[in-house]
Amino acid sequence: IQIDKLLEESEEGDALKDNLLLAKIKLIPDMQLRGRQLRELSNQYPHTDGGTEAMYELGVLNVQLWKSPDTGGGGKAAYLRDARAILSTFIKDHPDSIFSVEASTVLESLTGAE
């Protein structure tokens, strides 16, 4: 995979590293694993565009997991709670992000949801 090659060639201070890591994470089919890695990336790179987008993607992923028919009862409530918390924090911490309007729309769609 080309992303792995580019990551091997990148250095720690490389401005594109967070974006490369995000691109690789987005390819993970397992939603649980993708969620863990998105959280890790957003924590590791909180003030970069890749880290910021990872936080947004994590909020949206939690909405998808909440909506999934495969998610059990107790898990649904946790995913909904996490989605709301992540998206709210995202909007507060990154109001100028290109994803803030979308995050607001997704968050508003969760109003009254249980």
Side-chain angles (χ1 to χ4, degrees), residues 38-76:
L38 285 169
R39 183 176 304 277
E40 186 177 309
L41 181 65
S42 69
N43 289 336
Q44 187 176 1
Y45 296 94
H47 304 293
T48 66
D49 54 343
T52 300
E53 184 177 347
M55 185 179 194
Y56 165 75
E57 292 289 339
L58 180 59
V60 171
L61 179 66
N62 274 279
V63 173
Q64 292 171 345
L65 287 163
W66 168 68
K67 288 181 176 180
S68 174
D70 297 333
T71 304
K76 282 195 175 292

Side-chain angles (χ1 to χ4, degrees), residues 15 18 24 32-33 66 69:
D18 58 313
K24 184 175 180 178
Q32 301 288 334
L33 178 59
W66 168 68

Side-chain angles (χ1 to χ4, degrees), residues 4 7 11 15 25 28 30 34 43 50 58 61-62 69 71-73 79 83-84 88 90 92 106-107 112 114:
D4 289 330
L7 279 168
E11 298 177 14
I25 291 168
I28 298 172
D30 181 300
R34 187 175 349 127
N43 289 336
L58 180 59
L61 179 66
N62 274 279
T71 304
Y79 287 125
R84 285 179 172 147
S88 294
F90 179 86
K92 180 177 68 81
V106 173
L107 187 59
E114 293 193 29

Side-chain angles (χ1 to χ4, degrees), residues 79-94:
Y79 287 125
L80 179 59
R81 183 178 56 249
D82 287 350
R84 285 179 172 147
I86 292 165
L87 292 169
S88 294
T89 300
F90 179 86
I91 293 163
K92 180 177 68 81
D93 292 350
H94 307 286

